[in-house]
Amino acid sequence: MKGTINIKRQILLPILGASIFFTTASFQNDFFEIAKQIEIFTEMYKQLNMNYVDETNPADLMDNAIEGMLSELDPYTKYWTEQEVEKSIINRRGAYTGIGAVVSTRDDKVIIVEPWKDHPADVAGLKAGDEIIEIDGIKLADYKENAGDLLKGSADTEISIVYKRQGKEKSAKVKRQAVEVNAVPFYEMATPEIGYVVLSKFNEKASRETKAAILALKEKGATKIILDLRGNPGGLLSEAVAVSNLFIEKDKLITSTQSVVEQYNKTYLTKRPAYDPDIPVAVLINGRSASASEIVSGSIQDYDRGVVIGARSFGKGLVQRPKPLSYGTQVKITISRYYTPSGRCIQALDYWNRDEDGNAVRTKKEDYNAFKTVNSGRTVYDGGGVQPDIELESAAYSPITTALLRDNAIFDYATEYYYNHQVTDMDSFRFTDTDFNDFVNWVEKKGFDFNTETESAFAKAFKTAEKEELDDDINSSYKAMQEAINNAKKKDMKDKKAEIMSLLTDEIVKRYFYRDGLYNYQLKFNPEILEAVNVLEDQNKYNRILK
């Protein structure tokens, strides 16, 4: 099979790469060449499946070929199976039938990440950190498909679940039900005059729910608004324009898209009079605010319409569109780059000019270009996400923090904390310096492996030394270097204490008091929200930032 994959990577992928753009301008210019390559590919695919020394699976071979081809592009251009197409529809509409919990697949394990309060998983007693090992008699270790799909099904149908918690096996029966996923999961008054709205995703209900939340808060006395886009990964471009339109007047440019394909060069203007063009606004963003979140925060910043607070956003300046394929499948293709009203493209990674290891190159700060905001002429920059007007350390995602999140260290520590500590009063809970030191020691004891770019470079060099039979000579030096790097990483964790403690606090509070409890806790203690309140209550400071 390895021989098949090598042939696939060397020969099949370039041919598939040509065929995917069958309807573009290149098709018109190179009709003969495309037809020729498709014919070669078809014949070769048939010959491989008929004659290869070992038995091949035609579907697997094609899936691997498609994945290999797309790996050379950006990570947002993806092939979707029928099931994945259905998932995208669910995400867009914000409703599905299931157990009412966020689940994650980790090393072929299905982990409960967050049960939603009073939904089936919560009613059945499932907790964050539980590992599901069996569903309706099907052992997940032996199940080759997406095990998470077994949790979905018709409303009012019951499933039997066996799960592991703190090393012990338990069982539960869970009755599926229709689950509504709100774009705005929470809104409340932060002060008697300041309303707070969490917008967590840009599905089909985003602008409608945001407007309804603001209306409800204004009826409670809100004369200023905090719009929280932290952790919002984006969604529908049309909804990003509509949310911006709540604060920005009619016929204003919100974003434009540019592509080598002429039909994708478009401008997107606000269509209606602003819901409230004058209400003071503070927008919260962080390193996980992406795409549509950056369109909204970027347009509000470019029109000097509100103050942006937090940490630099993710930097996704690319637009995707799904294109239908045969048998209910789709390919989601990056069709264009988008630009904010001032002309910025905030794309952070360059997938088209990679380094010698094939990795996308991040735009360096010295390469950022300066632009001017529309109304006040303030200087803003492109190239690395939306930079807040007020940056806070607690909102940042440094490489070490990203590594901790990627390796689930913060999640797993919160699970252990939950089972080892009694917390009954949300208002009195604090994650202390002592707790943080315990976390650092726990990480070291667990041996979490955070691979930095420095480590990867040294590891690559050591492998080369092994091939050249030089490893015996440099082995002791390499081990000393590894120890020095590990000590540096431990120091880096302490240097990034503020951002790590903020994430640990949020994860732990959510375990005891669910997501609504977390939002209420943040209203009182979160540094970004407190800073937003401070700015909105100080009209001189607010005006000074914008003008």
Side-chain angles (χ1 to χ4, degrees):
M1 197 65 183
K2 288 183 179 178
T4 305
I5 294 172
N6 287 335
I7 293 172
K8 170 263 292 182
R9 291 198 178 278
Q10 294 173 20
I11 300 175
L12 300 186
L13 299 190
I15 299 169
L16 282 171
S19 65
I20 199 69
F21 297 106
F22 200 79
T23 59
T24 66
S26 64
F27 169 72
Q28 299 171 0
N29 297 332
D30 303 304
F31 176 84
F32 173 75
E33 185 63 25
I34 292 174
K36 170 185 169 183
Q37 299 299 336
I38 291 173
E39 184 177 352
I40 292 172
F41 165 72
T42 303
E43 292 177 355
M44 184 174 186
Y45 182 62
K46 180 177 70 174
Q47 292 295 338
L48 281 172
N49 283 290
M50 290 176 62
N51 299 303
Y52 189 68
V53 62
D54 293 323
E55 183 178 355
T56 61
N57 183 313
D60 287 345
L61 187 62
M62 182 60 77
D63 285 345
N64 287 333
I66 291 172
E67 286 182 18
M69 174 185 65
L70 297 182
S71 70
E72 299 299 313
L73 306 175
D74 65 88
Y76 312 109
T77 297
K78 294 183 178 180
Y79 168 71
W80 279 345
T81 63
E82 293 174 85
Q83 293 78 16
E84 289 166 329
V85 170
E86 184 63 28
K87 286 180 183 177
S88 73
I89 294 171
I90 290 171
N91 288 334
R92 189 168 67 245
R93 292 177 178 172
Y96 74 100
T97 301
I99 67 169
V102 179
V103 299
S104 172
T105 302
R106 187 199 303 180
D107 298 329
D108 298 324
K109 299 175 183 177
V110 174
I111 308 294
I112 299 290
V113 174
E114 180 187 354
W116 296 331
K117 187 176 182 180
D118 298 330
H119 283 72
D122 180 45
V123 172
L126 293 173
K127 303 283 186 184
D130 289 347
E131 176 194 341
I132 299 176
I133 57 178
E134 188 177 308
I135 300 174
D136 278 344
I138 299 174
K139 293 187 180 298
L140 302 194
D142 302 326
Y143 192 70
K144 302 304 180 185
E145 305 298 324
N146 184 353
D149 291 339
L150 295 173
L151 298 172
K152 298 175 183 176
S154 302
D156 297 323
T157 56
E158 191 174 71
I159 53 175
S160 297
I161 291 177
V162 178
Y163 61 96
K164 188 181 292 185
R165 175 185 296 169
Q166 298 290 285
K168 297 180 180 179
E169 285 193 11
K170 297 175 178 288
S171 61
K173 291 189 179 296
V174 185
K175 183 177 286 187
R176 301 182 183 101
Q177 71 175 32
V179 178
E180 194 80 10
V181 182
N182 294 321
V184 176
F186 183 86
Y187 62 90
E188 188 53 86
M189 297 297 291
T191 74
E193 295 182 343
I194 300 173
Y196 171 72
V197 179
V198 177
L199 177 54
S200 63
K201 61 189 66 194
F202 285 85
N203 60 21
E204 293 177 351
K205 303 182 291 183
S207 60
R208 183 170 70 251
E209 289 187 7
T210 304
K211 181 178 180 180
I214 294 173
L215 173 61
L217 292 170
K218 289 177 72 172
E219 289 176 349
K220 290 183 177 181
T223 57
K224 303 161 186 176
I225 292 292
I226 300 171
L227 180 63
D228 194 343
L229 299 178
R230 292 175 299 171
N232 186 321
L236 300 176
L237 187 152
S238 58
E239 284 299 295
V241 176
V243 169
S244 300
N245 196 180
L246 296 174
F247 308 103
I248 297 171
E249 274 293 6
K250 184 179 179 182
D251 296 329
K252 297 292 185 181
L253 175 68
I254 299 300
T255 188
S256 60
T257 58
Q258 295 182 22
S259 171
V260 294
V261 182
E262 183 65 31
Q263 72 185 76
Y264 298 137
N265 294 332
K266 294 186 177 182
T267 56
Y268 295 84
L269 309 180
T270 49
K271 296 180 179 180
R272 299 177 179 84
Y275 173 61
D276 194 329
D278 301 314
I279 192 168
V281 179
V283 180
L284 306 184
I285 61 173
N286 63 13
R288 291 194 166 185
S289 305
S291 191
S293 295
E294 295 172 301
I295 290 175
V296 172
S297 56
S299 62
I300 285 179
Q301 188 177 59
D302 278 3
Y303 282 110
D304 305 290
R305 181 59 190 83
V307 175
V308 181
I309 299 170
R312 186 179 286 279
S313 63
F314 182 81
K316 181 178 179 289
L318 306 174
V319 179
Q320 288 72 44
R321 180 170 295 177
K323 294 291 184 179
L325 303 173
S326 302
Y327 302 102
T329 63
Q330 289 183 356
V331 58
K332 185 180 66 146
I333 303 176
T334 295
I335 59 169
S336 58
R337 293 177 176 85
Y338 72 78
Y339 295 79
T340 70
S342 67
R344 292 183 286 168
C345 182
I346 50 78
Q347 177 64 26
L349 292 174
D350 185 352
Y351 297 102
W352 297 270
N353 295 292
R354 298 172 183 255
D355 62 20
E356 60 273 13
D357 295 321
N359 298 317
V361 178
R362 180 171 290 275
T363 305
K364 298 178 181 178
K365 287 185 179 181
E366 54 265 30
D367 295 327
Y368 292 169
N369 298 300
F371 294 80
K372 297 294 183 181
T373 60
V374 176
N375 295 329
S376 298
R378 296 183 297 143
T379 301
V380 289
Y381 296 91
D382 67 357
V386 175
Q387 182 179 2
D389 302 306
I390 299 175
E391 294 189 75
L392 295 178
E393 187 181 10
S394 57
Y397 282 83
S398 63
I400 191 69
T401 301
T402 301
L404 288 166
L405 289 167
R406 183 183 62 241
D407 290 352
N408 300 295
I410 288 174
F411 180 86
D412 289 348
Y413 180 83
T415 300
E416 289 203 15
Y417 189 98
Y418 175 78
Y419 289 109
N420 292 320
H421 295 78
Q422 290 289 328
V423 177
T424 56
D425 182 9
M426 180 177 67
D427 290 343
S428 64
F429 170 75
R430 297 292 184 278
F431 192 76
T432 65
D433 290 343
T434 301
D435 291 329
F436 179 76
N437 291 331
D438 180 65
F439 169 73
V440 173
N441 293 330
W442 178 86
V443 167
E444 187 175 18
K445 182 180 177 181
K446 290 290 184 179
F448 278 96
D449 185 19
F450 310 121
N451 278 323
T452 63
E453 290 184 16
T454 302
E455 285 176 284
S456 298
F458 278 126
K460 184 178 178 181
F462 189 70
K463 284 185 178 180
T464 302
E466 287 179 321
K467 291 178 182 178
E468 296 177 348
E469 299 182 357
L470 299 173
D471 50 306
D472 288 340
D473 297 327
I474 65 172
N475 189 50
S476 59
S477 297
Y478 180 64
K479 287 183 177 179
M481 189 72 71
Q482 282 183 312
E483 186 176 348
I485 291 172
N486 287 332
N487 290 334
K489 286 193 293 186
K490 188 173 180 179
K491 179 180 180 298
D492 200 20
M493 268 198 288
K494 293 182 178 179
D495 289 343
K496 304 302 181 184
K497 179 178 176 180
E499 59 191 77
I500 295 171
M501 282 189 71
S502 179
L503 290 168
L504 283 164
T505 299
D506 289 353
E507 188 62 44
I508 291 169
V509 168
K510 193 167 57 177
R511 299 301 176 93
Y512 293 98
F513 306 106
Y514 299 91
R515 186 161 288 273
D516 274 8
L518 169 61
Y519 291 136
N520 279 303
Y521 184 87
Q522 288 186 334
L523 275 178
K524 296 178 180 178
F525 304 111
N526 180 260
E528 296 95 84
I529 296 176
L530 294 178
E531 180 62 26
V533 169
N534 175 53
V535 171
L536 289 174
E537 288 183 335
D538 188 340
Q539 191 66 44
N540 290 332
K541 183 176 182 179
Y542 181 85
N543 291 336
R544 196 163 57 245
I545 292 170
L546 296 180
K547 296 181 181 179

